[in-house]
Amino acid sequence: MDENLIPISFTINGEKVSKRILPSLILIDLIRDQLQLKGTKPGCLEGECGACTVLVNGSAVNSCLYMAVNIDGKEILTIEGLSSIEQPLHPIQEKMLEHGAVQCGFCTCGIVLTTKAFGEECKKEGKIPTRKEVKKSLEGHLCRCTGYVKIIDAAEDYLTHPSV
Amino acid sequence: MNFNIESPTSKEELLNCLRNHQSGYFRLAAGFTDLLIELKKSKTEELTVINLSQIKDKQFTGIDIQPSGIRIGALVNVAQIGKNQSIRKSFPVLQQAADALASGQIREVATIGGNICQASPSGDLSCALVALKASCEILKMDGTIRHESLNDFFRGPAVTSLQKNEVLKSIVIPANQTNKLKSGFIKIGKRSAMECSIVSISYHFQLGADAAILHSGIAIGAVAPTVIFCREAADFLHKLNVNKIHETDQLKVAELIQQSASPIDDQRASAWYRNEVLFNSAKSIFEQD
């Protein structure tokens, strides 16, 4: 079996990693089971719920539907990569807390990362998104606790105050 | 779920992969957003997946704008289509369909080629592309290209004309012949995100002086075994003023569109409901603005 392993190199949360993986390994399993980064949540595992969202080269993708072989040469950011000792919580996370947008928290990591990606995109285009656009940006996430209003409030608050 | 994967990085490597696997079972995949869901549920063993997403060849990965039309590589993802300024300007129906497809995370990886080759009757991009009279450029194992209109490419639900020794290389949309357009995508579902259509309608009208419809394309999705081009309705609209379509003509267009459909009952909607929604949505095309 070992000769079937495929070598890949990538960057995750700023750290360079080289691994030999099974051809059919899915990104979420690489992240959770091999790299022990448990902040990426397995929800529906079929691309509906967005809990497993990570950033690949800055774009939000469902890690449950992404082949690990295809991250070769790419940059991955998971929720763990947003924290540092100096700044334990990213401003998006602060906003989520401020607005009471976190209840059970299962969907939160994915939503924070999608909001980060959308924020970068808005910054690049030099635009402040409307509430409708903020809602649209979060369409790939399900939350069974909050009813979404507070999540959208938090994301909108962050995205419309680009100075942070 | 356990399968072998081969990742060609050029057209030549891809052709070699195809040649090597002609005698066995293999699948092609690019974004994997559909295939992984299928494979997670299946018990297929001894499967090889030819992973197209590492091919670095502009013919597969680029959007090429020419005076005669626009060529979109099969590996271009849905987000790229949604954000492309030329597509936004010249083919709003396609941009809107791209924007309505699944979710942001799926759009970043799902490809136009995958959406087409799935041949889902409710495929969002497929519907828009049929209305735009797009055609396929299919790479054969011997390196030659086969051309086929997208409308003919679709043969049934999840069935295309693609042979085992072929791979979809690119899609060509003919350039507009006029600058004035009325073009859009209507998607009816139970919710507004992550939805598979109950009914979809794509329309693309090229207008001449006095807003007369000179070239028209209308396609409907999720109401027949394949996406359907509504030829009778498109012909009926010829030379009519797009802003002054009388209510009796609106009803006639809706009726003609409805006649090209043959919906079935399924978990998302009944055939009766699909017919009603199709009629009313078709009528609404000329009520907008």
Side-chain angles (χ1 to χ4, degrees), chain A residues 30-105:
Chain A
L30 172 70
I31 291 172
R32 286 181 57 87
D33 300 343
Q34 301 199 13
L35 303 171
Q36 300 296 322
L37 296 169
K38 305 285 188 181
T40 302
K41 301 300 180 200
C44 67
L45 298 179
E46 48 187 40
E48 286 278 337
C49 76
C52 67
T53 300
V54 300
L55 305 192
V56 175
N57 284 354
S59 299
V61 307
N62 295 312
S63 63
C64 72
L65 292 183
Y66 204 96
M67 295 306 298
V69 291
N70 285 338
I71 61 163
D72 189 39
K74 295 187 176 139
E75 256 176 60
I76 315 296
L77 184 74
T78 70
I79 194 73
E80 289 87 350
L82 288 185
S83 302
S84 60
I85 293 181
E86 304 77 48
Q87 192 187 38
L89 288 181
H90 187 275
I92 302 171
Q93 293 169 306
E94 301 278 8
K95 288 290 181 203
M96 296 283 288
L97 288 179
E98 195 182 303
H99 286 268
V102 182
Q103 286 187 29
C104 88

Side-chain angles (χ1 to χ4, degrees), chain A residues 8-19:
Chain A
I8 55 168
S9 299
F10 55 97
T11 307
I12 186 158
N13 302 332
E15 207 173 303
K16 279 204 161 77
V17 179
S18 293
K19 275 211 160 296

